[in-house]
Amino acid sequence: MWSLAGAVVVLGVAYGTNSLYLKLNYNQHFYVNGMSMYPTINLNGTRKSAEGTRPLYWDDGSSLNGDQIDYGLGKTIKKEDVISSIARNDIVITYYPRDYETDGSGEYRRDSEGNLILKQTATIKIKRVVALPKERMEYRLVAPSEDESDTLSPIYGQTKIINDENPNGFYLKPLYKASSFAATPSSSVYPYPYHTYAWANEAKEYNLDLGQDEYIVAGDNRGCSSDSLSGRFVVKAEMIIGKAYLLVGRCEFISSSSGNRVNIDYSYTFMPWNYRELH
């Protein structure tokens, strides 16, 4: 009996210690509505169906009421610290240009303190940083028939980065192979960006010289992600509000007429052996 009581006390202390640590170090909670970051995020999520609970698939689209999705923690970054804090392949918590109010001339509106003003319809995005300020990105879409290699993938295309340290450029390595996006009951073929990017009808390449405060961000599930590559836009440094660091459990997605939210009451864990680091 004493041993059991002792174990309970030890677990209680561990839980409380980790709870305090997380609250002190991670102030930005996040979840991903949909499968744009699969398989990095929501790989082990579930969906309720008429037949019971099933795994989430890469082509499930937006989350539905009752889905179990990954829940994570990040850190807010001060506007003036974004450029010094963000590195390539970081997963950032950000807004897009379309989330901000503009005036009649297309310029962003700002409040009395100089901050961009969010639209009421603005939603946070979780994406991976592909290209950094003052770099040149040369992005080429790849046909599914092309063989995968260390620099080329039908999922990710081929991305060359040119910067001051690498004047001749270097190629980014694909994060996953096409086999990570297996056939699903509703789709036998992955919708490669080659087919799904609207601008691919005009050209198969997207080259861009980034300004001193501009980033290219993209989802890991490129064929099912609305991002800088599919929409051909940049994210300004001041639009990035934080960085994702840990996946700490799964939560229930709740969708209603008042908006989307998550219920973390029963699925959020403070135990460190269940954390998955994103950096």
Side-chain angles (χ1 to χ4, degrees):
M1 180 66 70
W2 185 89
S3 298
L4 178 59
V8 170
V9 170
V10 169
L11 286 173
V13 171
Y15 184 93
T17 301
N18 280 285
S19 174
L20 179 61
Y21 171 79
L22 293 180
K23 289 179 180 179
L24 290 175
N25 288 275
Y26 301 98
N27 64 339
Q28 188 72 48
H29 297 200
F30 71 88
Y31 63 92
V32 178
N33 177 5
M35 304 304 290
S36 66
M37 285 300 293
Y38 182 96
T40 302
I41 300 177
N42 288 340
L43 174 64
N44 297 313
T46 60
R47 171 161 292 179
K48 292 179 182 178
S49 66
E51 293 75 30
T53 300
R54 66 162 176 81
L56 286 175
Y57 304 127
W58 55 258
D59 62 347
D60 272 327
S62 297
S63 299
L64 301 180
N65 193 58
D67 281 0
Q68 288 284 313
I69 58 178
D70 283 335
Y71 179 74
L73 299 176
K75 295 180 182 179
T76 298
I77 303 175
K78 293 181 180 179
K79 185 168 61 173
E80 61 269 22
D81 295 333
V82 169
I83 291 178
S84 62
S85 301
I86 299 298
R88 193 182 335 277
N89 282 327
D90 282 352
I91 296 177
V92 294
I93 304 165
T94 187
Y95 288 102
Y96 284 170
R98 65 172 182 256
D99 290 311
Y100 294 94
E101 293 186 3
T102 57
D103 59 23
S105 64
E107 294 294 320
Y108 292 118
R109 295 183 59 216
R110 296 180 181 270
D111 61 22
S112 58
E113 297 181 353
N115 298 311
L116 298 175
I117 300 175
L118 285 168
K119 296 178 180 177
Q120 290 186 343
T121 55
T123 57
I124 286 177
K125 285 80 176 174
I126 314 295
K127 301 296 176 184
R128 191 180 297 275
V129 173
V130 175
L132 300 168
K134 298 189 288 187
E135 292 186 332
R136 176 175 174 81
M137 182 196 72
E138 297 181 354
Y139 177 65
R140 180 172 72 91
L141 287 165
V142 176
S145 60
E146 295 190 53
D147 293 333
E148 293 187 278
S149 70
D150 287 342
T151 65
L152 180 149
S153 165
I155 299 294
Y156 297 106
Q158 188 174 57
T159 306
K160 185 177 183 180
I161 299 294
I162 300 170
N163 53 31
D164 291 343
E165 294 76 25
N166 301 275
N168 294 322
F170 64 94
Y171 291 99
L172 300 186
K173 292 185 177 181
L175 295 172
Y176 300 98
K177 290 185 176 295
S179 56
S180 298
F181 301 81
T184 71
S186 59
S187 180
S188 60
V189 178
Y190 183 82
Y192 300 99
Y194 185 89
H195 298 301
T196 58
Y197 286 6
W199 53 266
N201 294 321
E202 302 173 4
K204 297 298 185 291
E205 296 184 357
Y206 173 32
N207 302 327
L208 183 67
D209 292 305
L210 292 168
Q212 62 182 1
D213 65 342
E214 295 177 337
Y215 294 83
I216 291 289
V217 299
D220 289 354
N221 188 0
R222 293 282 175 83
C224 302
S225 176
S226 172
D227 52 41
S228 290
L229 294 177
S230 64
R232 297 178 74 159
F233 61 83
V234 299
V235 170
K236 297 281 190 180
E238 62 183 318
M239 298 174 182
I240 297 174
I241 63 172
K243 207 155 97 171
Y245 280 90
L246 298 171
L247 295 180
V248 296
R250 283 196 296 278
C251 54
E252 181 184 21
F253 183 80
I254 300 172
S255 181
S256 67
S257 58
S258 59
N260 298 324
R261 61 185 180 88
V262 291
N263 176 14
I264 63 171
D265 291 342
Y266 63 91
S267 53
Y268 178 29
T269 176
F270 289 105
M271 297 305 175
W273 49 84
N274 288 324
Y275 299 169
R276 186 154 69 84
E277 292 189 10
L278 294 173
H279 290 273

